Amino acid sequence: MMSDTVQPTGSKPAQPDGSPPVQEAAPAFSPLYRQIKQRLVRSLQAAEWQPGQAIPSEMELAARFQVSQGTVRKAIDELATDNLLVRRQGKGTFVASHAEQATQYRFLRLVADAAPHEGTDTRLQRQLLTCRRMRAPAEVVRQLALKPGDPAVQVQRLLLANRPEGPVPMVLEDLWLPGTTFKGLSAERLVAWRGPMYRLFEVEFGVHMVRAEEKLRAVAASAEDAALLAVPAGSPLLLVERLAYTYGDQPMELRRGLYHTEHHHYRNELS
Amino acid sequence: MMSDTVQPTGSKPAQPDGSPPVQEAAPAFSPLYRQIKQRLVRSLQAAEWQPGQAIPSEMELAARFQVSQGTVRKAIDELATDNLLVRRQGKGTFVASHAEQATQYRFLRLVADAAPHEGTDTRLQRQLLTCRRMRAPAEVVRQLALKPGDPAVQVQRLLLANRPEGPVPMVLEDLWLPGTTFKGLSAERLVAWRGPMYRLFEVEFGVHMVRAEEKLRAVAASAEDAALLAVPAGSPLLLVERLAYTYGDQPMELRRGLYHTEHHHYRNELS
DNA sequence: CAGTGGTCTAGACCACTAG
DNA sequence: TAGTGGTCTAGACCACTGA
């Protein structure tokens, strides 16, 4: 590791080095704690610490970066609000992961209408339909920022709710991943995996999903989709198009979900 | 105003007064800055400062509450993240309102599919359908925490997108408000008002909406709704049920929206 | 008990706004 | 230039965890 000192980008400590005064009208001023934050993100991106693992203590990081503990603290605070890190008093600060119970299906906003009765199994069953490798279609190339001709992995699956009368289809998902990053992904691995798919991505491919953007629409079920979801053709379905990002705002997954919302709904909090 | 000193609720400064040691297993510990935060919320609730107005400076508040500036700062920081306050460097801290350009339709997540062309009018026209006063229906009583028999105001309206070929219906809204709080609300006032409805609520009724919860579903258009939205009966529509809250988590508005999502979508960010 | 994050303070200085 | 919020520091002490 090399010199790790940090300087504010402000104009007060006149830069003695011949650094160019090219101000592109935007950069303005980046406080120290944001530079620390960026460094931490880069460390996460470089997988210096794995999801679920602890990062160094605030004191250690302060020493490494040659700043006060308070400055490191502010950087970590922001990363914690961004859900990149998780603070645990008395224990340390940990890299966020999709393994913990609390955040397991963080991006799935579908909930049952009625308050679940005591003992109702709210977990969803999974049923893999397809998992294949191919050249990425144009739309996938565009959204995942691939190069034309790059490989992609397509996965299709059903999520089913556990009802007394048996499992009923609830969500039909169709998702696309960059083929180079997800080289070893196969139907076998997907079927064998217990737990959230995003956790599998962390464990097997070192990819942690940080955030996502979704576009929602109401659509009529095609004959094909209707059959898979066991609803009449033409039924209204909630179409959820998701673009999920990993560290550094890099798009990593394109997911198209069809939700059957007769007894469930998509929950959202506005503020 | 009375004594304004604050004490941590922690156990270290042994309470000399005979305050009961009843620990209900939950309260745990409330840091100073959270108590300050609560006080500020109560001041907002009491309309001590109006939406859009500046609150006292950090130094003034620190003096008033007998704490350091840093503690006030942390309280305000949280209120700013909660969107109750807005900080403006060099100017002061202001009570959030639905008047500013940036946050005008903060709760409306409907956006056009295509990037709007230069000069396209993205604003929506409003067309009031009904505004009437009545005894609140059971569902409204429940959701708005009213008493049975309490009055309510029902408003129905259309939002229309401006297209080259003229305005086309996009959203059909049906909303319910507590009749006592919204005593003077009438069709005339609604029609005359220019700007966001939530801003009208602030100006005329002193009600500021802080946050909201939404439940989304795909439904088939009824004959009636279809006619108003100018779509075929049975068309898939996005049903958005919103419960909006004012200061202190008090439910204040129940809104049911039907979105036509053929050329628009509901945008959501997950993190 | 040592080590972690969490709170609170006091003071210096910077960035931004407006008179 | 005065007043606001924003950053950074250093130090003291508290709350929580686990050995």
Side-chain angles (χ1 to χ4, degrees), chain B residues 108 110 123-130 155-161 167-175 197 224-231 237 255-260:
Chain B
L108 182 60
L110 193 71
R123 295 183 56 85
L124 296 177
Q125 279 187 39
R126 290 158 301 185
Q127 183 181 325
L128 185 63
L129 300 178
T130 67
V155 177
Q156 287 179 300
R157 65 171 186 171
L158 270 177
L159 300 180
L160 307 98
V168 297
M170 201 53 54
V171 180
L172 173 59
E173 281 188 330
D174 186 358
L175 58 95
M197 189 186 287
E224 201 177 344
D225 296 336
L228 286 165
L229 284 168
V231 297
L237 296 174
R255 189 184 287 219
R256 182 180 167 280
L258 281 172
Y259 295 14
H260 180 211

Side-chain angles (χ1 to χ4, degrees), chain A residues 213-271:
Chain A
E213 296 169 357
E214 290 191 333
K215 297 180 183 181
L216 283 69
R217 279 183 186 74
V219 299
S222 71
E224 201 177 345
D225 297 335
L228 286 165
L229 284 168
V231 297
S235 295
L237 296 174
L238 182 61
L239 169 61
V240 180
E241 289 176 312
R242 177 191 300 172
L243 190 54
Y245 297 81
T246 183
Y247 299 122
D249 269 320
Q250 200 182 343
M252 256 302 173
E253 183 208 49
L254 182 60
R255 190 183 286 220
R256 181 180 169 280
L258 281 173
Y259 295 13
H260 180 212
T261 55
E262 208 173 320
H263 305 292
H264 292 68
H265 61 268
Y266 181 106
R267 189 174 218 287
N268 198 23
E269 306 256 336
L270 308 182
S271 63

Side-chain angles (χ1 to χ4, degrees), chain B:
Chain B
M1 195 151 296
M2 14 209 70
S3 141
D4 250 335
T5 20
V6 178
Q7 289 293 337
T9 61
S11 42
K12 37 304 166 47
Q15 303 286 26
D17 64 319
S19 60
V22 267
Q23 295 276 18
E24 289 198 54
F29 165 69
S30 175
L32 245 187
Y33 74 88
R34 275 205 195 282
Q35 302 176 42
I36 306 296
K37 183 183 177 186
Q38 275 181 229
R39 284 186 177 224
L40 291 172
V41 170
R42 261 177 259 137
S43 288
L44 290 169
Q45 208 163 350
E48 188 173 330
W49 315 295
Q50 302 300 319
Q53 286 184 347
I55 71 171
S57 76
E58 294 180 353
M59 291 303 265
E60 270 180 71
L61 291 171
R64 175 190 300 189
F65 295 137
Q66 304 266 44
V67 299
S68 80
Q69 190 197 1
T71 301
V72 170
R73 164 169 289 275
K74 186 143 190 192
I76 293 180
D77 276 346
E78 288 206 357
L79 291 169
T81 6
D82 294 348
N83 288 117
L84 297 211
L85 297 177
V86 178
R87 321 192 72 145
R88 289 193 201 126
Q89 185 174 139
K91 299 177 73 172
T93 303
F94 299 77
V95 181
S97 101
H98 291 269
E100 291 105 56
Q101 193 67 22
T103 61
Q104 263 199 357
Y105 294 92
R106 216 171 89 207
F107 292 168
L108 182 60
R109 308 291 273 265
L110 193 71
V111 300
D113 285 342
H117 294 288
E118 198 66 39
T120 300
D121 189 2
T122 167
R123 295 183 56 85
L124 296 177
Q125 279 187 39
R126 290 158 301 185
Q127 183 181 325
L128 185 63
L129 300 178
T130 67
C131 173
R132 58 187 170 184
R133 196 163 298 271
M134 62 177 67
R135 257 211 309 277
E139 177 66 4
V140 175
V141 167
R142 195 177 65 79
Q143 300 245 45
L144 295 185
L146 303 178
K147 287 191 294 289
D150 274 359
V153 180
Q154 181 192 23
V155 177
Q156 287 179 300
R157 65 171 186 171
L158 270 177
L159 300 180
L160 307 98
N162 285 309
R163 307 295 300 271
E165 66 273 21
V168 297
M170 201 53 54
V171 180
L172 173 59
E173 281 188 330
D174 186 358
L175 58 95
W176 297 83
L177 301 160
T180 43
T181 307
F182 291 83
K183 200 170 309 184
L185 185 58
S186 66
E188 292 70 36
R189 292 214 189 184
L190 280 170
V191 170
W193 181 257
R194 304 277 149 231
M197 189 186 287
Y198 284 160
R199 179 57 184 165
L200 171 65
F201 293 174
E202 290 175 3
V203 172
E204 299 276 341
F205 308 99
V207 172
H208 171 73
M209 299 301 185
V210 169
R211 65 177 197 91
E213 295 169 356
E214 290 192 332
K215 297 180 184 180
L216 282 70
R217 278 184 186 76
V219 300
S222 71
E224 201 177 344
D225 296 336
L228 286 165
L229 284 168
V231 297
S235 296
L237 296 174
L238 182 61
L239 169 62
V240 180
E241 290 176 310
R242 177 192 300 172
L243 189 54
Y245 296 81
T246 183
Y247 298 123
D249 269 319
Q250 202 183 341
M252 255 303 172
E253 182 207 50
L254 182 60
R255 189 184 287 219
R256 182 180 167 280
L258 281 172
Y259 295 14
H260 180 211
T261 55
E262 208 172 320
H263 305 293
H264 291 68
H265 61 268
Y266 182 105
R267 188 173 218 287
N268 198 25
E269 305 257 334
L270 308 182
S271 64

Side-chain angles (χ1 to χ4, degrees), chain A residues 135-156:
Chain A
R135 257 211 311 276
E139 177 67 5
V140 175
V141 167
R142 195 177 63 79
Q143 300 245 45
L144 295 185
L146 303 178
K147 288 191 291 290
D150 274 359
V153 180
Q154 181 191 21
V155 176
Q156 286 180 302

